[in-house]
Amino acid sequence: MRAYRVLIPAMALLAACSDPTAKSNAQIPPLAQPTRAAPGDALTMKSSFAPVVKRAAPAVVNISSKRLVRQRTDPFWELFGMGAPRERIQGSLGSGVIVRSDGIVVTNNHVVEGGQEITVALADRREYTARILLADPRTDLAVLKIDVGNERLPTLAIDDSGEAQVGDLVLAIGDPFGVGQTVTNGIISALNRTADPNGDAANAYIQTDAAINPGNSGGALVDMDGDLIGVNSFILSRSGTSSGVGFAVPAAIVKRVVETAAGGGQAVVRPWLGARTQTVTAEIARSMGMSTPQGALVADIWPNGPAARAGLRQGDVIVSVDGRPAVDAAAVSYAISSRRPGETLKLGVRRGGGEQQLTLKAEAPPATPARDQQVISGRNPFDGATVVNLSPAVADELGLDPFMGKGVLVTNIARGFAMNAGLRPGDLIRRVNGRDINTVRDLTAVLAQTGGQWQVTIERNGQEVTANFRT
């Protein structure tokens, strides 16, 4: 059970924490009787967060990232070999958290994305060059490594117990606007928020009113034990500065990403349910005789997938995962994707007016057919397009619906005919000149045999579009 330190005990520890003879790695003793309580008198309200800050702040770092950007001049002059592109250095600032004493640091992916020179500055202002061990754009997390030799750095323990509650006191520590390490306090405003800026429903965040500003990205959200419960990621604001609506990646996801990177993995494997679900709305709840609109309605099941083997059926409503209420479909997806492959989960399922427990084994989505990613070139409508075989694994990686079916997915468009033809990333190639396209091999075979006239059918946003081209 986690010890919640409120303000009077914190004052009692202040003298010990400020003792110059105390060892830097001394552990703060737990309270005898963990409890949650609001300040009840004037003395309590004059107490301080300083002991928590002294414990956590040394493990929070500043991160600067630089990359070389080529800026084009007038394209007309470039045709005549004049006005060559100019080069300039573009930088970004953020924060990070030391999670292993040998120099492993976690931060936001958007802080270091594209960075060619990454510098980590410790709380004592020492600087180190960092390399990226793993970048995971979907969770917006990146894991860095700095070489500190035999030195053991201060760290923050990752508390993935899931015991955090709405109303708990928290501190946000980072480097806003590059002014230097800054601490702000607030509470947990909400849990399992799915307000993802990338629209990925598989992510669920801790919402806090602790002030988070530009530069805080990648910094620590800590509880009153000084443990890491989240990595600050983004805010919702009309002004671009904190308006009290900030979001942090929960510690459970942070720990999974760090474990993967430390183990040498290059990508985070996320288990999937193997079923298509939708959030139970008030209308659905009424039609099913449910007293409250809560949970995820199972609309479709992948053959021989985890849901099928667990015994889920179409029409079931998942109302809890491991005893915790499932608010909506996104909460169910997050609860499963944050687990490790091979672990088991207990699903509370409403079926036929009653509720039963099913056991689900966490498994990665299948990568069938094989990925077979290629860049298409030549005189055809797909020149310059990167395509890949669609599978549940690829769909999950890109945040798409795994039930889109088989086919060939466009993942990137570079210069070439494909850009002029209006193809976009996310397009699913269905047919070319009347032939069904199920794999990249099907596509390359058709392109090798046909020339000049092209009839292409793609699926975009659930609708099929057919167009004719001449190359």
Side-chain angles (χ1 to χ4, degrees), residues 387-412:
V387 297
V388 65
N389 286 335
L390 182 61
S391 68
V394 168
D396 180 76
E397 176 186 325
L398 300 175
L400 303 175
D401 181 5
F403 286 78
M404 291 174 64
K406 57 185 177 182
V408 175
L409 186 73
V410 177
T411 60
N412 188 50

Side-chain angles (χ1 to χ4, degrees), residues 172-235:
I173 308 176
D175 186 4
F177 302 107
V179 300
Q181 191 176 87
T182 302
V183 181
T184 55
N185 82 287
I187 63 170
I188 295 177
S189 304
L191 297 169
N192 295 324
R193 285 292 197 214
T194 54
D196 194 314
N198 300 315
D200 190 345
N203 290 333
Y205 297 90
I206 299 171
Q207 181 182 331
T208 179
D209 67 346
I212 297 173
N213 286 295
N216 272 114
S217 293
L221 188 70
V222 302
D223 60 14
M224 292 299 100
D225 289 326
D227 293 335
L228 183 73
I229 63 168
V231 169
N232 299 319
S233 186
F234 67 100
I235 62 174

Side-chain angles (χ1 to χ4, degrees), residues 129-284:
T129 299
R131 57 188 174 91
I132 298 176
L133 294 182
L134 186 150
D136 188 49
R138 191 167 176 193
T139 57
D140 193 23
L141 291 176
V143 181
L144 312 179
K145 181 69 170 67
I146 58 176
D147 185 8
V148 294
N150 295 325
E151 183 180 358
R152 314 311 288 175
L153 297 178
T155 64
L156 279 185
I158 302 176
D159 181 2
D160 63 339
S161 64
E163 293 182 2
Q165 295 184 19
V166 174
D168 283 354
L169 287 168
V170 290
L171 301 180
I173 308 176
D175 186 4
F177 302 107
V179 300
Q181 191 176 87
T182 302
V183 181
T184 55
N185 82 287
I187 63 170
I188 295 177
S189 304
L191 297 169
N192 295 324
R193 285 292 197 214
T194 54
D196 194 314
N198 300 315
D200 190 345
N203 290 333
Y205 297 90
I206 299 171
Q207 181 182 331
T208 179
D209 67 346
I212 297 173
N213 286 295
N216 272 114
S217 293
L221 188 70
V222 302
D223 60 14
M224 292 299 100
D225 289 326
D227 293 335
L228 183 73
I229 63 168
V231 169
N232 299 319
S233 186
F234 67 100
I235 62 174
L236 294 182
S237 172
R238 293 180 178 177
S239 65
T241 56
S242 177
S243 56
V245 186
F247 299 88
V249 181
I253 293 293
V254 176
K255 192 167 187 177
R256 285 273 289 111
V257 174
V258 170
E259 286 177 347
T260 301
Q266 297 301 307
V268 180
V269 178
R270 298 176 181 83
W272 74 320
L273 176 60
R276 175 188 284 160
T277 62
Q278 64 183 94
T279 297
V280 174
T281 62
E283 183 178 352
I284 292 174

Side-chain angles (χ1 to χ4, degrees), residues 445-466:
V446 171
L447 299 181
Q449 297 172 4
T450 312
Q453 302 287 338
W454 307 90
Q455 185 180 72
V456 176
T457 300
I458 64 168
E459 181 181 324
R460 179 181 294 169
N461 298 326
Q463 295 185 335
E464 288 195 355
V465 179
T466 300

